Amino acid sequence: MMKVGILTSGGDSPGMNAAVRAVVRFGIAKGMKIYGIYRGYEGLIDGEIEELDRRSVGDILQRGGTMLKTARSERFMTLEGRKKALTTIETFGLDAIIVVGGNGSFAGALELSKMGVNVMCIPGTIDNDLGYTESTIGFDTAVNTVLEAITRIRDTSSSHERTTVIEVMGRHCGDIALYAGIAGGAEAVLLPEEPRDVNSVCRKIIEGSNQGKQHSIIIKAEGYPMDSQELVKEISDRTGRPVRLVVLSYLQRGGSPTLADRLLATRCGDKAIELLDAGLMNKAIGQVDGKVLGFNLEKALAEPGNFDRHMYESVDILSQ
Ligand code: F6P
């Protein structure tokens, strides 16, 4: 009987629970034993592991966060830490480890695979920064959360005829800012992929105001190379108009996963089990052209981001 461990690692994302549930239930249906590893790689080092049955993943499908807890493990970054993790894997007799997380977690899994451990990776991060897949689990929910925030902020910005800068997460990836900016009707988006000059943003605000625009919404990705407070001051100084800052921060990581994230998570869990059952290992599960498939882990990690320049350029046209 195949014994499979599952852990969630890095920043949590809505839909991680749905992925864990799918792995447990599809795995058991295939006759496997599934073990939950708590606190990501930390739990793998410390042996915080227990067998999960169908009922232990009940009532989590709709919950954000992760029932397995998560961590960013500094110890796992060391060879000593990874050796301890290997010992745990041998002690529990685990045949494979499923890792749900972002690129840092995938890199950890790749290191494990080089030590002879069978791994399978599921993309769980709000950042959407894994280039091999069209979407990561949690991205859709996070963007919808940002969108709702924009809609609310727009009301008050409009009433006060103000400019509001909204800082969103995404680490080095601007997708949350770009997608929410397009769908939320932002005047400008500031991304790490193509850092836009602040001057041009100010010009846009002044021109818009001269044409009767009541407010301006600027979405700034956290990876844009300028501090948000400084940006607000600069825009305010240059435009001579009031500017407010809203940092959405961890608000974006919580909440009940959307339909898209629940489905993606469930299909990724299903595929991970299907591939393990077929004897395939060291894959990154992802979605391409709507199909959920397994890709070579090392190559998947090396894929460049999916920056959509056309979408980026359309922000200016749409907001004129
Ligand atoms: O990777 C997810 C993410 O939320 C990023 O968008 C953000 O930069 C980072 O995690 C924050 O990390 P932490 O939870 O360690 O503060």
Side-chain angles (χ1 to χ4, degrees):
M1 185 181 269
M2 192 173 199
K3 289 180 165 185
V4 177
I6 177 163
L7 61 84
T8 51
S9 163
D12 63 335
S13 70
M16 277 184 162
N17 276 328
V20 173
R21 170 181 178 268
V23 163
V24 170
R25 294 195 174 162
F26 282 115
I28 291 173
K30 291 264 188 220
M32 298 173 181
K33 271 181 180 279
I34 309 292
Y35 292 82
I37 302 162
Y38 292 87
R39 295 176 184 79
Y41 291 114
E42 284 289 292
L44 193 59
I45 291 170
D46 295 331
E48 279 188 81
I49 299 177
E50 68 177 4
E51 191 177 344
L52 300 174
D53 61 21
R54 297 181 57 82
R55 292 285 16 110
S56 48
V57 290
D59 202 28
I60 63 166
L61 174 65
Q62 75 285 10
R63 294 185 202 280
T66 161
M67 67 161 273
L68 293 178
K69 309 296 179 197
T70 186
R72 300 191 192 278
S73 176
E74 302 234 330
R75 288 189 293 162
F76 193 74
M77 302 209 181
T78 67
L79 183 60
E80 199 195 336
R82 291 196 291 276
K83 279 186 179 162
K84 277 195 181 154
L86 189 60
T87 306
T88 310
I89 291 168
E90 285 164 3
T91 308
F92 280 80
L94 299 177
D95 299 300
I97 306 288
I98 297 178
V99 172
V100 187
N103 48 16
S105 309
F106 278 28
L110 184 63
E111 288 303 316
L112 271 185
S113 75
K114 289 178 183 163
M115 296 166 92
V117 177
N118 298 319
V119 297
M120 201 56 84
C121 292
I122 293 179
T125 167
I126 64 165
D127 297 342
N128 207 32
D129 57 351
L130 289 162
Y132 77 94
T133 179
E134 283 162 0
S135 186
T136 56
I137 300 163
F139 172 65
D140 187 67
T141 310
V143 175
N144 274 290
T145 303
V146 173
L147 198 55
E148 196 189 322
I150 294 174
T151 307
R152 288 168 191 266
I153 291 163
R154 185 183 277 281
D155 288 344
T156 175
S157 297
S158 166
S159 305
H160 288 265
E161 298 174 277
R162 275 176 189 155
T163 292
T164 306
V165 173
I166 305 176
E167 186 198 286
V168 301
M169 278 187 166
R171 208 177 284 268
H172 307 298
C173 180
D175 278 11
I176 295 179
L178 179 57
Y179 283 59
I182 294 256
E187 269 57 46
V189 294
L190 298 171
L191 310 179
E193 287 89 346
E194 231 164 75
R196 182 181 175 160
D197 170 37
V198 182
N199 237 335
S200 71
V201 176
C202 295
R203 232 180 6 251
K204 188 110 197 271
I205 294 169
I206 296 168
E207 282 166 3
S209 154
N210 290 343
Q211 285 164 16
K213 276 206 179 200
Q214 296 182 332
H215 64 269
S216 295
I217 300 283
I218 312 296
I219 312 289
K220 176 197 175 264
E222 65 177 349
Y224 177 78
M226 185 175 189
D227 176 73
S228 296
Q229 301 279 4
E230 275 172 36
L231 176 72
V232 163
K233 184 166 183 324
E234 182 136 355
I235 297 177
S236 174
D237 287 350
R238 282 176 192 251
T239 61
R241 291 165 167 81
V243 184
R244 293 290 188 269
L245 173 65
V246 178
V247 179
L248 292 179
S249 187
Y250 296 103
L251 195 81
Q252 297 158 90
R253 287 225 303 241
S256 182
T258 56
L259 167 79
D261 279 331
R262 291 185 202 196
L263 282 184
L264 179 62
T266 303
R267 293 173 73 202
C268 285
D270 185 8
K271 182 57 78 178
I273 293 296
E274 179 196 313
L275 296 181
L276 285 176
D277 192 49
L280 294 165
M281 308 290 170
N282 307 335
K283 303 278 183 205
I285 314 292
Q287 180 172 289
V288 172
D289 293 334
K291 289 197 176 66
V292 173
L293 304 163
F295 301 89
N296 173 281
L297 175 57
E298 192 156 14
K299 284 191 188 151
L301 253 179
E303 280 285 323
N306 284 324
F307 176 58
D308 191 327
R309 179 159 292 102
H310 180 75
M311 262 178 93
Y312 177 54
E313 287 169 356
S314 59
V315 174
D316 259 342
I317 297 167
L318 288 166
S319 61
Q320 267 162 17

